[in-house]
Amino acid sequence: MGDGFRGVSADRDGRFRAADRKLMAKMKFPPEFSTKVDMRKVQLEVLRPWVGKKVTQYLGVEDDIIINMVMAELEKENEPDPRMIQINLTGFLERNTGAFMAELWKLLCSAQSNAKEEKGKVVKGVPEQLLHEKQEELNRINSELQERARKIQDDQERMKAIQREREAERERAVERERELEREKELRRRLEQEQEELRKADKAKEEKGDKEK
């Protein structure tokens, strides 16, 4: 058939109806479909946001039914046939189905290659692209948090500076009040001394007049 998918042909695979076989014969499939994917090695739930984003991008609206349908297609079998999934989705995603499936299968292949076996158990893999995007998102969030922390620190420093200036202004105001009080006290003493001098001069004059 020339579609690159390894295994039995569509003619010999009982899963395909006659109509599906005819449709498959007319369709072209990406080379990524030549790699089988064991879904038991893939963390499917991490793909749901990506599927949702792509479906919304293609349709212009978020469609939970189609998103759930895509996820259900992936969960049907341990090694689903991507050609069959593409056929089933074509009625919904139309001309975008091929591009969607090519991207999706690349992610699944990447996730499968990242799967590990620890203590006899399979640790499901995550696509490298999604790990990279997640790391970028974490870096962005970290940068935003650092920027917010810097702004908060700057604001706190400005508030401290304003508070110090207010305290300094209050101290200057208190000092001005003290200066005014000292000036008043000096004026009072000066007036008192002048008054005493006037009295002394007056007493001298009165004494001189008496002696005459």
Side-chain angles (χ1 to χ4, degrees):
M1 289 182 60
D3 55 33
F5 190 84
R6 294 180 301 208
V8 297
S9 68
D11 292 327
R12 297 169 63 187
D13 193 335
R15 294 176 297 175
F16 296 104
R17 298 170 300 176
D20 292 335
R21 288 197 295 269
K22 288 180 181 179
L23 181 59
M24 189 175 293
K26 297 177 182 178
M27 296 176 70
K28 290 184 179 180
F29 299 102
E32 288 80 14
F33 285 7
S34 63
T35 302
K36 287 187 177 183
V37 176
D38 185 348
M39 293 301 168
R40 291 169 295 185
K41 297 180 179 180
V42 177
Q43 285 193 40
L44 281 176
E45 277 307 306
V46 302
L47 283 162
R48 180 177 286 274
W50 181 90
V51 171
K53 180 181 177 181
K54 282 295 179 181
V55 169
T56 303
Q57 177 184 325
Y58 291 138
L59 301 182
V61 292
E62 186 175 352
D63 193 320
D64 289 335
I65 293 176
I66 297 179
I67 294 169
N68 290 334
M69 179 182 176
V70 173
M71 300 305 297
E73 287 288 339
L74 297 176
E75 293 168 354
K76 268 184 186 178
E77 304 173 63
N78 291 334
E79 294 184 357
D81 190 327
R83 299 171 301 175
M84 194 64 188
I85 297 175
Q86 182 165 326
I87 289 171
N88 292 340
L89 294 178
T90 298
F92 302 95
L93 299 179
E94 299 177 342
R95 60 186 178 85
N96 297 307
T97 311
F100 171 78
M101 282 302 302
E103 282 192 78
L104 176 60
W105 214 251
K106 281 181 183 178
L107 293 176
L108 291 170
C109 291
S110 175
Q112 179 176 246
S113 66
N114 284 336
K116 302 175 185 176
E117 188 170 329
E118 293 181 0
K119 297 180 180 179
K121 293 183 179 180
V122 174
V123 178
K124 296 181 179 182
V126 176
E128 198 67 36
Q129 176 185 329
L130 299 189
L131 288 173
H132 181 67
E133 289 175 359
K134 190 64 178 178
Q135 187 58 51
E136 286 185 338
E137 182 185 1
L138 290 174
N139 291 341
R140 178 182 58 77
I141 292 172
N142 188 47
S143 295
E144 288 177 358
L145 290 174
Q146 288 179 349
E147 180 64 18
R148 288 178 187 174
R150 186 188 64 78
K151 286 182 179 179
I152 290 172
Q153 186 175 3
D154 289 346
D155 289 342
Q156 288 175 340
E157 289 298 325
R158 280 194 294 271
M159 290 301 297
K160 287 179 181 178
I162 291 171
Q163 187 65 27
R164 287 194 296 269
E165 180 58 30
R166 286 175 178 172
E167 290 175 358
E169 182 60 33
R170 282 195 293 268
E171 289 177 1
R172 288 193 291 270
V174 170
E175 187 60 30
R176 284 195 295 271
E177 287 293 327
R178 289 173 180 166
E179 285 292 330
L180 288 173
E181 287 297 324
R182 284 195 290 268
E183 287 180 10
K184 286 180 182 178
E185 180 62 21
L186 286 173
R187 288 197 193 98
R188 188 185 65 77
R189 289 180 180 178
L190 181 59
E191 289 173 356
Q192 186 178 3
E193 289 175 358
Q194 288 175 342
E195 181 64 24
E196 289 176 354
L197 286 173
R198 282 196 298 272
K199 287 179 179 180
D201 290 341
K202 187 176 180 181
K204 282 182 181 180
E205 288 177 1
E206 289 177 351
K207 185 177 180 182
D209 290 341
K210 285 181 181 179
E211 289 177 351
K212 289 179 180 179

